[in-house]
Amino acid sequence: MSDNWIVANLENAFSTWNDKMTEIWSLITTSPQSFKGGAIWNVISGINGGLQAIGLGLLVLFFAMSIFKSTASFRDFQRPEYALKHFIRFCAAKVAITYAMDLMTAIYTICGGIVEQIAGSLGGASVTLPAAIEQAVEDTGFWASIPLWLVTILGSLFITVLSFIMIMTVYGRFFKLYIYTAIAPVPLSSFAGETTSFMGKSFLKSYVGVCMEGAVIALSCIIFSAFASHSTPTIDTSITTVTMIWKYIGEIIFNMLVLVGLIKGADRIVKELFGT
């Protein structure tokens, strides 16, 4: 760490960004069961089990609604294929509610395998302060360095804010996984009725979308790492130090904005891919 306050300020901001990038990789490759030692998962499992009773109650309600809406007369009950179709639907919905945790875990495991495969290609590219910038700042006199303070404070603040926006988005995706898993028995009960099954289908598609957001986030980080390593901002030492640093920070922030925008738009990209 440099003794120069301006250089140290920029290095701290870059260190925060690099730490959050590393944390993102850790989050997208960590399963909900092992996150924070599994304490949150135990709570979610308890909520899921408690909602199974409500799900079973809705199961009967949706099943009865489907029977009365699709039955033209009581003679339909005398047709074996008609009764068998509704019986199979009822049993399938009952199994989905009873084993909701296992179903949600299986879906996450499949999608998580895709995410881990992609995340395995994530490089270790990090943002560092070029030696030319550091030397130019250290060679600047006291009065000439005053404008640099303002430039670096604004730049460092912006980079730090972007870092926390990025990591908060990734944490938000993680918490959505918990929410979907906790309430799973309720929407899965809709499969008992032919006219209400669209709610269950929509729920499962949305859950798969949340799981696959991890793949989009991993791809975004890979693209950013490749982009950052092959598009180092141009450093023109012929201009004033203030202008040089302003241009450098501006280009760095632009690259970071691209990544943050991709991560925040991961849910929209997944919805477009899956048509949800």
Side-chain angles (χ1 to χ4, degrees):
M1 185 70 68
S2 174
D3 294 333
N4 187 285
W5 182 86
I6 297 174
V7 174
N9 195 33
L10 286 174
E11 288 179 342
N12 285 331
F14 290 157
S15 177
T16 300
W17 174 267
N18 295 331
D19 289 344
K20 297 309 176 187
M21 286 286 291
T22 303
E23 190 174 356
I24 285 176
W25 182 87
S26 176
L27 282 174
I28 62 177
T29 55
T30 300
S31 66
Q33 298 96 314
S34 58
F35 182 67
K36 298 298 182 181
I40 302 176
W41 184 256
N42 292 333
V43 175
I44 297 302
S45 298
I47 296 173
N48 182 284
L51 290 179
Q52 281 189 12
I54 298 176
L56 293 174
L58 292 173
L59 170 73
V60 176
L61 175 62
F62 291 141
F63 179 73
M65 289 172 56
S66 177
I67 289 291
F68 286 112
K69 282 189 177 182
S70 60
T71 304
S73 65
F74 285 102
R75 292 181 179 178
D76 291 332
F77 287 106
Q78 300 175 1
R79 297 161 49 195
E81 67 277 8
Y82 181 85
L84 180 62
K85 180 183 71 172
H86 285 280
F87 177 74
I88 292 175
R89 181 181 291 277
F90 180 86
C91 291
K94 172 65 169 56
V95 170
I97 295 172
T98 305
Y99 298 98
M101 286 293 293
D102 296 327
L103 175 62
M104 304 301 281
T105 303
I107 294 174
Y108 178 83
T109 301
I110 296 172
C111 296
I114 299 174
V115 175
E116 290 183 5
Q117 186 69 27
I118 296 173
S121 304
L122 185 60
S126 58
V127 181
T128 57
L129 189 67
I133 293 286
E134 183 175 348
Q135 188 61 45
V137 172
E138 292 179 349
D139 293 341
T140 304
F142 175 77
W143 295 109
S145 66
I146 293 178
L148 292 178
W149 296 353
L150 179 60
V151 172
T152 53
I153 288 174
L154 291 176
S156 299
L157 179 61
F158 206 85
I159 291 171
T160 303
V161 170
L162 287 177
S163 301
F164 281 97
I165 291 175
M166 178 174 63
I167 197 65
M168 284 175 61
T169 303
V170 179
Y171 269 103
R173 174 251 180 187
F174 221 89
F175 292 151
K176 282 192 289 185
L177 291 173
Y178 285 128
I179 293 172
Y180 273 82
T181 305
I183 65 172
V186 175
L188 290 177
S189 65
S190 64
F191 282 114
E194 188 173 355
T195 57
T196 57
S197 61
F198 72 92
M199 291 187 291
K201 294 177 183 176
S202 178
F203 171 78
L204 290 179
K205 287 176 66 177
S206 297
Y207 180 70
V208 171
V210 173
C211 293
M212 290 304 296
E213 283 180 26
V216 175
I217 293 171
L219 284 171
S220 300
C221 293
I222 291 172
I223 293 171
F224 172 79
S225 298
F227 182 75
S229 60
H230 292 86
S231 60
T232 304
T234 304
I235 300 175
D236 186 2
T237 56
S238 63
I239 58 180
T240 63
T241 304
V242 176
T243 305
M244 178 175 63
I245 292 182
W246 184 252
K247 288 183 61 178
Y248 173 77
I249 293 177
E251 292 184 38
I252 286 291
I253 289 177
F254 173 78
N255 294 343
M256 293 177 175
L257 278 171
V258 172
L259 176 59
V260 174
L262 286 172
I263 290 178
K264 286 193 67 65
D267 56 341
R268 178 179 54 80
I269 294 174
V270 170
K271 287 179 180 179
E272 292 177 355
L273 290 174
F274 288 93
T276 56

